[in-house]
Amino acid sequence: MNFAQDYRITATFGAMHVGGAAIDGYLALAIPFTLAWLAGTRSLVRIAVAGVLFVLGTYVIIVTFSRGLYLAYLMMIAMFAFGLMIRQKATGVFSVNRAILVVVTVFALSFLFFSVFATGGYRALAAVLGVMGVAFFLGIKAETSSSIYPALLAAILLVAINFILIKMFNQGAYIAYASSFLIGSTGIVTRVIRPHSSKHRLAWCGLIATSIAAIFVAKHWGGMPALMAAAATVMFILALLPLNRSLNQPLWRPNLKSAVALAFISAIFFAGIPIAGNSYFVGERFSDRSSGLRARLAHWRDTLGMMDRTPLAQTFGMGVGRFPGIFFWRSQLHAPSGTFQLMTEMGNRFLKLGGHREGFNRGPTLFYSQRIKASPYQKLNLSFDARATMPKSRLLIGLCESVLLYAVNCETKSVAISKSDGTWNRLKVSLNTRSLGVWNYFGKRPVQMWFVNPLAGTDVDIDNARLTDQFGNDFLHNGDFSQGGDRWLFTVSDFGGWHIENIFVHFLFEQGWGGLIFFIALILFASCRLFVLASRGEFLALTILVSFAGFVTVGTFNSLFEFPRIALLFYLLLFFSLLRWKVEDSQPLQVRSDIEPLNSNGAGRRNRALPYGTSRVPDRLPIATSRFQ
């Protein structure tokens, strides 16, 4: 919930210990299936579950602070909407004008809601969303104009009372809004239960009073700028009501399924606009987008420059998984990170931490860490054997709260290696856990202990590490490295040496022009096939096509295929798209009942009205003729 710090989530994707976009690729592949479930079922329980998953997934996308994933999200929503339009056109219920109005309305509401939050904060945004919720149920005409007049008179009285409350109390705007919204909600409930009852006058009364109260809520919080923004938003929402009532194909219908969808859309607006639109970190991420693109272009050129110029390498690539090793020795743009090795000497196994390659003053830091079960406000003693062969060698040791990559609340100590003659030294250092591992309302953050060799061109050997409390309990497992790297994991501070950051350059580097051409051909073939299936009304084909669009969008600025789980999921979906599908047409051929059988003259009488989309072909034709009778 902290949107100011430069913290990037990794969730449960352990392969991101060297960075990358595994979570971005997974979300791009998975989110469309919640949309498909939401749009492809009539069960309210499934709609609710799918809606909650979609809202939570959208929240996760927002807090990744990934610009490529933001673009992929918009791409997926647009393509999914386009696919639904194609499907509606196939069934004969598509309207171009309605589609344009929906798009314009969504963009206008997004802009207006953003302006409301920018000037009036959370309270103003929540107030205008409440107005939209009440107005939603009054979007279809179900009463006479004479029945609205009593509602207007009652609304005038209620607004007058609200003005008195606003003048008398400091928090009067909130009281006025709450009472008006309660009246409007009561009217909505009675309208849903008894749609032809006159009790829906309460809904109109509550809507008018809630609209005016929402404007004063915004003014109370943000002054005149917030009042103007809220007034413009409320007027736009109210203007949608007569527009929706006058259309042959309304923008929305106030049924229960649409109401659930509106609730989820409102939740996305309420969560997404404040985070993505007013977050310090989001602003920082998008302020350097041009420099970020230039850095990626330079990284791609450096990557291609590391390839061998032989015909074999250009055709078949440098080999799958070989980029980090080749980058370490051949990169002309980046400094390589530090190194680690598990060495064995006379039957004894130990850890060798290397600094950056000599000749580079600065480079990515390599952390060799282990998660520990530390308690807060505890003094711990770390003891270990160390040796070095270079003078002034030292180690950095730290305790941090960290899930995988990004660390907070760190306790750091620097330890000098006094001897540089290659003999082992027994070193000790005290560490204070402070507030590390404190239980919060959501649980407690994991705590890690790490070693770092900060000096370029030096190697430090480590063995027999113990992290004990005052009772002698050891918090480290496999501190003597006798079991290899069990319980230990390395992370790096810069990820350029591990990822090419583009799936097309990735295929070109690893598998050459042959692999790249086959990959692009396979994607295009599968996408065309899915598009044809989706145009025939196959919902699953549309879902997979949207997943591919999001995945490729993310992969344009990130590497994805070095993560086995993400690659497996992508290839499974690709495999499904190439299977033989049994497709039922969205509008099967119907047996004609509107045309009478042919008479003796070969002519039939046609009824005046035909069902929409049916042709005027007779249901019985002469076999030996070449023209319709």
Side-chain angles (χ1 to χ4, degrees):
M1 299 299 291
N2 187 338
F3 310 120
Q5 287 186 336
D6 54 344
Y7 185 90
R8 308 285 302 280
I9 65 172
T10 58
T12 58
F13 295 89
M16 292 179 66
H17 68 103
V18 288
I23 189 172
D24 302 32
Y26 169 74
L27 290 170
L29 291 174
I31 282 292
F33 286 88
T34 63
L35 278 175
W37 202 11
L38 189 63
T41 181
R42 297 181 179 179
S43 169
L44 292 179
V45 175
R46 293 183 179 180
I47 291 173
V49 173
V52 169
L53 288 175
F54 180 69
V55 171
L56 293 177
T58 300
Y59 173 80
V60 174
I61 287 176
I62 292 171
V63 298
T64 59
F65 299 104
S66 175
R67 293 163 292 190
L69 187 56
Y70 289 174
L71 179 62
Y73 183 79
L74 296 177
M75 176 73 72
M76 290 186 293
I77 296 296
M79 181 166 286
F80 195 84
F82 179 71
L84 291 181
M85 292 179 188
I86 294 178
R87 183 171 181 173
Q88 289 181 346
K89 187 175 182 179
T91 55
V93 296
F94 175 72
S95 171
V96 176
N97 294 333
R98 181 177 180 271
I100 294 175
L101 280 175
V102 169
V103 172
V104 171
T105 301
V106 170
F107 274 98
L109 286 175
S110 300
F111 174 78
L112 290 171
F113 287 151
F114 179 82
S115 64
V116 168
F117 175 79
T119 55
Y122 279 103
R123 293 174 176 84
L125 180 61
V128 296
L129 287 174
V131 173
M132 184 175 70
V134 177
F136 170 81
F137 289 94
L138 298 173
I140 297 295
K141 188 173 182 180
E143 67 280 318
T144 60
S145 58
S146 60
S147 65
I148 299 180
Y149 296 141
L152 292 176
L153 294 176
I156 293 173
L157 178 61
L158 182 57
V159 169
I161 296 174
N162 288 344
F163 273 116
I164 296 174
L165 291 173
I166 293 171
K167 293 295 184 182
M168 290 181 59
F169 302 100
N170 184 35
Q171 305 292 330
Y174 301 131
I175 300 173
Y177 181 85
S179 60
S180 301
F181 185 78
L182 180 62
I183 292 174
S185 302
T186 303
I188 293 301
V189 172
T190 57
R191 176 168 183 161
V192 171
I193 296 175
R194 301 178 62 188
H196 300 293
S197 172
S198 61
K199 299 292 182 64
H200 53 255
R201 297 170 184 171
L202 282 176
W204 281 104
C205 174
L207 174 63
I208 297 172
T210 302
S211 301
I212 297 176
I215 297 174
F216 283 95
V217 168
K219 180 180 182 298
H220 178 80
W221 183 254
M224 288 304 297
L227 182 145
M228 298 300 294
T233 306
V234 167
M235 290 175 62
F236 182 82
I237 293 173
L238 295 180
L240 290 176
L241 294 180
L243 174 64
N244 195 62
R245 288 166 164 246
S246 63
L247 295 175
N248 294 328
Q249 290 186 332
L251 297 176
W252 76 88
R253 297 184 183 276
N255 50 44
L256 195 54
K257 181 178 179 179
S258 300
V260 174
L262 177 69
F264 295 136
I265 293 173
S266 300
I268 291 173
F269 275 129
F270 191 71
I273 289 177
I275 299 172
N278 201 45
S279 167
Y280 168 78
F281 189 35
V282 169
E284 288 292 311
R285 292 284 293 162
F286 279 89
S287 63
D288 64 342
R289 58 186 181 273
S290 58
S291 60
L293 180 59
R294 287 195 298 268
R296 273 179 164 77
L297 290 173
H299 181 60
W300 297 338
R301 286 193 294 267
D302 185 50
T303 298
L304 297 178
M306 290 184 282
M307 293 183 65
D308 294 336
R309 300 304 175 188
T310 62
L312 184 65
Q314 292 293 314
T315 305
F316 299 105
M318 300 295 290
V320 175
R322 294 196 60 206
F323 173 74
I326 295 175
F327 175 92
F328 185 85
W329 297 108
R330 298 187 182 182
S331 176
Q332 301 298 319
L333 183 65
H334 304 279
S337 66
T339 61
F340 75 93
Q341 287 178 283
L342 292 170
M343 309 289 291
T344 302
E345 183 179 81
M346 299 179 64
N348 178 51
R349 185 172 291 180
F350 58 91
L351 171 69
K352 180 183 289 292
L353 282 183
H356 322 305
R357 199 173 74 206
E358 197 168 4
F360 290 91
N361 294 325
R362 299 183 63 183
T365 303
L366 183 140
F367 299 82
Y368 203 74
S369 59
Q370 182 177 145
R371 184 172 294 184
I372 63 173
K373 295 182 179 180
S375 300
Y377 308 109
Q378 189 177 24
K379 184 178 180 180
L380 301 178
N381 297 311
L382 176 66
S383 60
F384 60 97
D385 295 330
R387 70 179 181 181
T389 57
M390 298 290 292
K392 299 182 180 180
S393 297
R394 61 190 177 95
L395 283 174
L396 291 180
I397 300 166
L399 289 176
C400 293
E401 289 180 338
S402 175
V403 176
L404 192 61
L405 284 178
Y406 292 83
V408 294
N409 196 18
C410 292
E411 167 82 358
T412 306
K413 293 291 181 68
S414 178
V415 180
I417 312 297
S418 57
K419 298 180 182 180
S420 58
D421 55 0
T423 59
W424 289 99
N425 302 270
R426 190 66 181 175
L427 303 176
K428 295 183 180 181
V429 61
S430 296
L431 298 169
N432 195 330
T433 61
R434 298 181 298 174
S435 60
L436 296 173
V438 172
W439 282 91
N440 297 285
Y441 64 92
F442 55 82
K444 66 177 182 178
R445 297 185 179 96
V447 179
Q448 291 185 356
M449 193 217 76
W450 44 260
F451 292 104
V452 167
N453 181 359
L455 298 180
T458 64
D459 292 326
V460 177
D461 298 336
I462 303 172
D463 198 4
N464 301 320
R466 287 173 54 86
L467 184 65
T468 58
D469 59 8
Q470 58 182 338
F471 304 107
N473 298 316
D474 190 2
F475 290 91
L476 287 180
H477 298 270
N478 188 31
D480 59 357
F481 305 100
S482 60
Q483 300 175 15
D486 287 358
R487 300 298 187 101
W488 295 92
L489 184 68
F490 77 96
T491 59
V492 291
S493 62
D494 186 86
F495 318 117
W498 301 90
H499 309 284
I500 299 176
E501 305 291 14
N502 181 281
I503 57 176
F504 302 105
V505 181
H506 173 92
F507 271 94
L508 178 58
F509 181 88
E510 289 195 343
Q511 302 181 34
W513 286 102
L516 176 61
I517 292 172
F518 277 112
F519 173 73
I520 294 176
L522 192 60
I523 288 291
L524 291 177
F525 176 77
S527 299
C528 293
R529 192 168 188 273
L530 290 170
F531 181 82
V532 172
L533 292 169
S535 65
R536 296 179 182 176
E538 184 57 51
F539 215 87
L540 180 59
L542 173 61
T543 305
I544 299 177
L545 182 62
V546 173
S547 295
F548 284 171
F551 187 82
V552 172
T553 304
V554 171
T556 304
F557 304 100
N558 298 277
S559 293
L560 298 172
F561 285 97
E562 62 265 42
F563 303 105
R565 287 193 293 175
I566 305 304
L568 174 64
L569 182 57
F570 171 81
Y571 284 122
L572 282 176
L573 293 179
L574 187 64
F575 173 74
F576 294 152
S577 68
L578 300 177
L579 292 177
R580 184 177 181 180
W581 293 43
K582 182 180 179 181
V583 180
E584 295 182 1
D585 292 337
S586 57
Q587 186 182 5
L589 184 63
Q590 300 177 355
V591 177
R592 296 299 313 279
S593 60
D594 58 293
I595 299 177
E596 294 183 1
L598 296 174
N599 54 27
S600 57
N601 296 327
R605 295 193 303 271
R606 301 182 180 183
N607 295 335
R608 293 182 179 179
L610 293 177
Y612 183 85
T614 57
S615 63
R616 293 185 178 271
V617 180
D619 59 344
R620 185 157 53 88
L621 295 174
I623 297 177
T625 59
S626 60
R627 60 188 298 270
F628 293 116
Q629 298 296 321

